[in-house]
Amino acid sequence: MPVSCSAYGCKNRRTILSKHRGITFHQFPKDPGLRKAWILAFRRLDFKPSNKTVLCSDHFTQADFDRTGQTVRLREGVIPSVFASFPNHLKRRPIKTRSTKTSRRALEPIKDPIPAPKCSEPPKPAVSDHHYALDPTQVKKKLSDAQARIEELERQLRNAKDRERRQKQVLKSLLERLEERGMLSEAIEIELLQESD
């Protein structure tokens, strides 16, 4: 079944010709909030898109696309905004800027008559929302926690090796006793010693 754009008055269909023209088709988002925003941008009365309803790339600006990979994708959170085929009463009108003297003065930055005091100490770095920017105190704490964990694991390893050494000594003394009593053959003794090493 051919796929066609569901925008009002748009005649684009998914064909080889539209692919060569660079037109891509995008499904409605699954996120309920973003899906509702797309429906409102559509401006079609009682429009309920299905899971297969698509919108062509003509209804998005160039900044809305992520063309870094082989597949053209929409950036996260974009809303369709280009609807050339809408009737005039549905097209958005540009917001006019205010032109009165008072409005222009309101947009000017306010000059502070009292200057801010200068600090002698350097400002502390703000908490960053980047995952690669780390707080030095947190890094020190993590490092000391990791070192404590390493020391604990090394202690456990030493204890395990000591226990193994003691068990081998016990096994050898038992083998010697069994041999003294004549209850152990040489073949069994060699086999047990090989397994203990």
Side-chain angles (χ1 to χ4, degrees):
M1 184 170 186
V3 176
S4 57
C5 181
S6 56
Y8 175 84
C10 185
K11 307 267 191 252
N12 288 333
R13 297 173 68 131
R14 185 178 285 162
T15 61
I16 294 173
L17 180 63
S18 65
K19 186 175 182 178
H20 286 302
R21 287 180 27 212
I23 297 173
T24 55
F25 292 84
H26 307 276
Q27 290 183 337
F28 272 70
K30 304 231 183 295
D31 175 48
L34 191 57
R35 189 178 186 95
K36 187 173 183 179
W38 276 40
I39 293 169
L40 290 174
F42 246 52
R43 298 187 183 186
R44 286 179 60 181
L45 188 63
D46 298 328
F47 178 73
K48 291 182 180 145
S50 70
N51 290 337
K52 303 212 186 257
T53 305
V54 294
L55 192 59
C56 72
S57 57
D58 286 351
H59 305 289
F60 297 92
T61 62
Q62 288 301 317
D64 292 342
F65 293 102
D66 178 13
R67 298 180 188 274
T68 55
Q70 290 180 335
T71 306
V72 177
R73 288 190 169 85
L74 289 173
R75 294 190 188 277
E76 195 171 319
V78 296
I79 299 171
S81 58
V82 180
F83 294 100
S85 59
F86 271 0
N88 288 336
H89 70 280
L90 289 180
K91 289 183 181 175
R92 290 190 178 167
R93 291 177 176 75
I95 299 170
K96 293 181 181 178
T97 57
R98 296 182 177 189
S99 59
T100 63
K101 186 177 179 180
T102 309
S103 299
R104 283 192 303 266
R105 223 174 337 142
L107 295 174
E108 292 175 3
I110 299 172
K111 295 174 185 153
D112 193 6
I114 304 170
K118 293 184 179 178
C119 296
S120 60
E121 60 184 48
K124 293 182 180 177
V127 176
S128 179
D129 57 335
H130 300 290
H131 68 282
Y132 51 83
L134 301 173
D135 183 19
T137 55
Q138 289 178 344
V139 172
K140 285 181 184 176
K141 184 181 181 316
K142 285 184 179 181
L143 181 61
S144 65
D145 290 347
Q147 287 173 335
R149 179 71 177 142
I150 289 170
E151 290 172 3
E152 173 65 19
L153 291 173
E154 287 175 342
R155 187 183 60 75
Q156 288 177 6
L157 180 63
R158 276 193 313 270
N159 290 342
K161 285 183 178 179
D162 288 343
R163 280 193 302 272
E164 181 184 11
R165 186 178 39 79
R166 285 193 300 267
Q167 292 298 324
K168 283 183 179 180
Q169 287 175 349
V170 168
L171 179 63
K172 283 185 182 179
S173 68
L174 286 173
L175 287 174
E176 289 172 3
R177 274 201 234 156
L178 286 173
E179 191 177 334
E180 288 172 5
R181 294 183 184 171
M183 301 172 81
L184 185 64
S185 68
E186 288 183 15
I188 294 175
E189 182 181 357
I190 292 171
E191 190 177 330
L192 287 173
L193 286 173
Q194 286 175 350
E195 286 180 5
S196 68
D197 292 340

